[in-house]
Amino acid sequence: MAEAAENELNFLPLVHDIIKSIEKDSLDVNQKMTDFRNQLLKAREVIEKLPGTQYSRDDQLKQIDILKQQLANKTELLQKYKNLTVFDI
Amino acid sequence: MAQISTRQKFLSLIEDVEIVARELFELMSTPKGQQRADAPEQGELIQLLIKKDRDIKETLKLASEQGKVQVVIDELKAEVDKRDMDIKILQKNLKEAENILSAAIFQAKEKLTAIEQANNRKISSEELIRYAHRISASNAVAAPPTWAPGDPRRPYPTDFEMRSGCLAKLSDLPASTQTSQTQGTYTDSSSTRQSSLQMSDHMLQTQSSHHSTSSLSWQSSENTVSHLASGSHHLISDMRGHNKENEEVELMSSDSSSSSSSDE
């Protein structure tokens, strides 16, 4: 996913092409400008799909800590009840 | 203060790239003479673009790492959800056990009360067994399994047992007239049966002959009572004076037969 995004986020080659076209007064400048704008849109779409990017790194680490704590508590709770006398229902 | 997310950082960088690139394209397409006085240098804009590109690459690395962290987070979440499910199942089982136990406790309390009651009113086992034997040996409680019409064994309670039962107590009225009325009612209801007046007369004769011999068997007294009961009301009324004595004899005879059977 990140590799796919890397291609979409690589703007410099397109900018370079457009600069060269402007310098040459080429007719395909407008087309290249449109391509550039489309790539920006695609990049925005790809970013929306990148997993985990909806949080900052610190938020993710905090989330991991909270989840680990929850998991430990719940496992301990279950273990506590499993060690009690078994109910023969 | 909450940190901005990586996605927002990306979007901000893309917007920067778009703005800088547009500025650069405008600057390059505008002739030198017509450029604004405060227009930035092309080189600066290109450097800025390169810097933004570098920032995007770094942010991509960060996003890649965050993707791996997110996998860990998802696994942890799945594990926590699994624990939640286990806890819910456990809770459900505990609730079920609680219901069963509360029902069991309720029943146990009732049994304890019954035991306490039984302890307060103790009856000797011998007496109980003797009574059980008495009511069962004469087939008064239930007919024998092999009983068939014509079998002399009685598949019904003895007269003595009927008298000591609840029904007899209910109809235990002091006036003799009421007694005769009761018997009359019984006679009316029993008149629909197969018994006939002739049969009653015959049995009355038989009964008198039995009384004269004063050696009443258990069976004969019972038959007499039953046939008397099935006889007409008038006949019974006529015989009432005579029957009072007979009842006592019957009672004694059935009692003795019961006790004798219990001794077996």
Side-chain angles (χ1 to χ4, degrees):
Chain A
M1 197 73 190
E3 288 75 24
E6 199 171 347
N7 292 331
E8 300 296 338
L9 289 165
N10 196 11
F11 303 116
L12 284 187
L14 262 178
V15 172
H16 184 252
D17 274 358
I18 293 167
I19 291 170
K20 279 209 300 193
S21 294
I22 291 170
E23 280 175 348
K24 288 178 187 170
D25 278 335
S26 177
L27 291 173
D28 60 350
V29 175
N30 283 337
Q31 181 57 44
K32 284 182 179 174
M33 292 281 268
T34 309
D35 290 347
F36 179 61
R37 223 172 283 131
N38 287 339
Q39 188 159 359
L40 288 170
L41 283 173
K42 274 186 188 172
R44 286 190 175 99
E45 283 171 11
V46 166
I47 282 162
E48 290 293 324
K49 291 173 187 169
L50 279 178
T53 51
Q54 67 271 36
Y55 310 108
S56 69
R57 191 181 166 78
D58 289 349
D59 284 346
Q60 274 189 317
L61 294 176
K62 276 181 198 169
Q63 211 174 338
I64 282 185
D65 285 345
I66 290 167
L67 284 169
K68 277 183 178 171
Q69 189 64 40
Q70 276 186 0
L71 189 64
N73 285 341
K74 287 176 182 183
T75 309
E76 191 188 352
L77 188 75
L78 277 169
Q79 203 59 42
K80 185 181 161 187
Y81 282 108
K82 276 179 185 170
N83 289 338
L84 285 175
T85 315
V86 178
F87 291 102
D88 187 18
I89 301 172
Chain B
M1 181 183 156
Q3 289 184 330
I4 59 163
S5 68
T6 310
R7 188 173 293 166
Q8 282 176 319
K9 206 187 276 185
F10 263 128
L11 292 172
S12 166
L13 283 169
I14 290 170
E15 205 175 332
D16 287 351
V17 168
E18 193 177 6
I19 292 166
V20 173
R22 201 189 297 147
E23 192 77 20
L24 181 65
F25 300 150
E26 276 179 16
L27 193 72
M28 288 185 77
S29 53
T30 312
K32 291 268 180 184
Q34 292 175 7
Q35 284 178 1
R36 297 194 315 264
D38 60 340
E41 288 289 320
Q42 280 185 21
E44 280 178 24
L45 287 174
I46 289 167
Q47 286 302 318
L48 195 60
L49 263 179
I50 291 166
K51 185 183 174 296
K52 291 293 171 190
D53 186 64
R54 208 182 298 133
D55 287 349
I56 286 174
K57 296 275 187 298
E58 281 173 16
T59 314
L60 261 174
K61 277 183 192 169
L62 180 68
S64 177
E65 283 173 21
Q66 277 190 280
K68 288 171 188 167
V69 173
Q70 192 60 35
V71 171
V72 176
I73 288 173
D74 289 344
E75 282 174 2
L76 280 169
K77 273 185 182 171
E79 203 70 24
V80 168
D81 285 347
K82 203 177 159 190
R83 294 285 186 283
D84 279 342
M85 193 63 77
D86 287 349
I87 288 169
K88 272 184 188 170
I89 291 168
L90 185 66
Q91 193 181 12
K92 192 184 156 201
N93 287 347
L94 285 172
K95 194 77 191 164
E96 214 171 304
E98 189 196 2
N99 288 338
I100 291 166
L101 283 175
S102 61
I105 286 169
F106 177 74
Q107 285 173 359
K109 275 183 182 171
E110 278 193 336
K111 279 182 185 173
L112 278 175
T113 314
I115 288 167
E116 202 177 332
Q117 257 184 349
N119 283 337
N120 288 338
R121 300 181 201 167
K122 277 188 178 172
I123 299 171
S124 70
S125 57
E126 279 184 19
E127 194 181 338
L128 195 67
I129 291 166
R130 200 180 301 129
Y131 181 72
H133 200 267
R134 199 181 73 194
I135 61 171
S136 59
S138 61
N139 297 316
V141 178
T146 56
W147 189 86
D151 194 332
R153 291 177 296 177
R154 302 167 310 149
Y156 44 80
T158 61
D159 184 52
F160 169 73
E161 283 144 3
M162 283 301 288
R163 281 171 201 277
S164 59
C166 294
L167 285 170
K169 280 175 190 169
L170 280 174
S171 61
D172 191 15
L173 300 172
S176 60
T177 52
Q178 285 172 340
T179 314
S180 67
Q181 279 172 4
T182 315
Q183 287 186 349
T185 313
Y186 177 63
T187 308
D188 290 338
S189 63
S190 64
S191 62
T192 57
R193 297 181 186 172
Q194 293 177 349
S195 60
S196 64
L197 188 63
Q198 285 80 12
M199 279 292 289
S200 298
D201 289 339
H202 172 71
M203 290 314 295
L204 275 170
Q205 288 167 6
T206 316
Q207 189 206 16
S208 61
S209 66
H210 276 300
H211 278 295
S212 63
T213 54
S214 71
S215 58
L216 281 167
S217 69
W218 181 85
Q219 185 61 38
S220 63
S221 72
E222 192 56 38
N223 284 338
T224 309
V225 171
S226 62
H227 286 292
L228 262 177
S230 62
S232 69
H233 175 240
H234 298 293
L235 269 171
I236 291 166
S237 300
D238 293 336
M239 294 297 293
R240 182 155 306 285
H242 183 62
N243 276 347
K244 274 185 183 175
E245 291 172 13
N246 293 347
E247 280 171 3
E248 285 174 13
V249 174
E250 283 164 13
L251 193 144
M252 284 172 68
S253 65
S254 61
D255 192 16
S256 64
S257 66
S258 301
S259 59
S260 64
S261 61
S262 66
D263 290 334
E264 290 173 1

